[in-house]
Amino acid sequence: DTGVSQDPRHKITKRGQNVTFRCDPISEHNRLYWYRQTLGQGPEFLTYFQNEAQLEKSRLLSDRFSAERPKGSFSTLEIQRTEQGDSAMYLCASSLGPPLGGPSDTQYFGPGTRLTVL
Amino acid sequence: AQTVTQSQPEMSVQEAETVTLSCTYDTSENNYYLFWYKQPPSRQMILVIRQEAYKQQNATENRFSVNFQKAAKSFSLKISDSQLGDTAMYFCAFRPPMEYGNKLVFGAGTILRVKS
């Protein structure tokens, strides 16, 4: 079990550019989540997948944000036309889901991708 | 909407002593889940402990235990025999019943510094 991995770990971009982040969940986990964390704050939910289906999206996920999980394994989060307000840590988490994961459906987090928009 | 409040932005404790971090939450649901996560400086977030609201017994994991007061909507974390490696940001998180979604709602966090 290698844990949740994210790539890249750091991304610096200029305002207006597009960026894409990748998340590889724990191998047997069927649920995958994206969160955004700004400095000194707790993570905020962005979106959630069960297998390849995107089941929930936050109001925080503007039209410039899109997430995919095409084969129910890894996921990508794309931000188009980045703005300085997009600067944050983007966290990915995965969980096994019930029944195998138990009712608590505990989420396990990756190391995050830190985005800086200049 | 559910909210989670951590009223202590920063805490300090001497090595080997005990410290309690506070967390309160607001929900109208009866069946939900609570978590404490630890985020060391520049490192990833890891699960410390979890509690199912339908269980009356407080969860424990080695030096970590919780005081879950359902009626008061309080979920505090007690760290015994504090170690330097416990220095981190600690987040309290709430998850509603599955039928209301799977997102975690986090508090703003408490920075814990363990001093030698």
Side-chain angles (χ1 to χ4, degrees), chain A residues 40-91:
Chain A
Q41 298 299 313
E44 296 174 291
F45 172 80
L46 292 178
T47 190
Y48 148 63
F49 291 85
Q50 177 154 318
N51 300 314
E52 64 276 8
Q54 188 173 20
L55 298 186
E56 190 174 353
K57 290 196 292 186
S58 163
R59 290 188 303 275
L60 292 174
L61 216 65
S62 75
D63 291 345
R64 298 184 296 104
F65 288 70
S66 63
E68 294 184 338
R69 195 183 183 199
K71 297 181 180 179
S73 56
F74 74 90
S75 174
T76 58
L77 177 68
E78 181 183 16
I79 308 174
Q80 296 181 326
R81 305 181 302 282
T82 52
E83 301 172 356
Q84 289 185 326
D86 297 332
S87 295
M89 177 77 85
Y90 289 84
L91 296 171

Side-chain angles (χ1 to χ4, degrees), chain A residues 31 35 104-107 109, chain B residues 37 44 50 95 102 104:
Chain A
R31 295 181 170 183
Y35 291 84
S104 67
D105 196 22
T106 299
Q107 296 179 26
F109 284 81
Chain B
Y37 284 89
Q44 70 192 76
R50 62 185 168 212
R95 213 208 81 214
N102 279 60
L104 289 172

Side-chain angles (χ1 to χ4, degrees), chain A residues 4 9 31 33 35 37 40-45 48 56 91 95 98 102-111, chain B residues 33 35 37 39 42-47 50 52 54 89 91 95 98 100-109:
Chain A
V4 179
R9 297 291 305 277
R31 295 181 170 183
Y33 313 79
Y35 291 84
Q37 184 180 22
Q41 298 299 313
E44 296 174 291
F45 172 80
Y48 148 63
E56 190 174 353
L91 296 171
S95 69
S104 67
D105 196 22
T106 299
Q107 296 179 26
Y108 297 90
F109 284 81
Chain B
Y33 305 88
F35 304 84
Y37 284 89
Q39 190 174 40
S42 301
R43 294 180 61 189
Q44 70 192 76
M45 193 145 53
I46 60 175
L47 177 71
R50 62 185 168 212
E52 292 87 348
Y54 59 84
M89 176 78 99
F91 292 102
R95 213 208 81 214
M98 202 73 74
Y100 296 108
N102 279 60
K103 68 179 183 183
L104 289 172
V105 178
F106 286 86

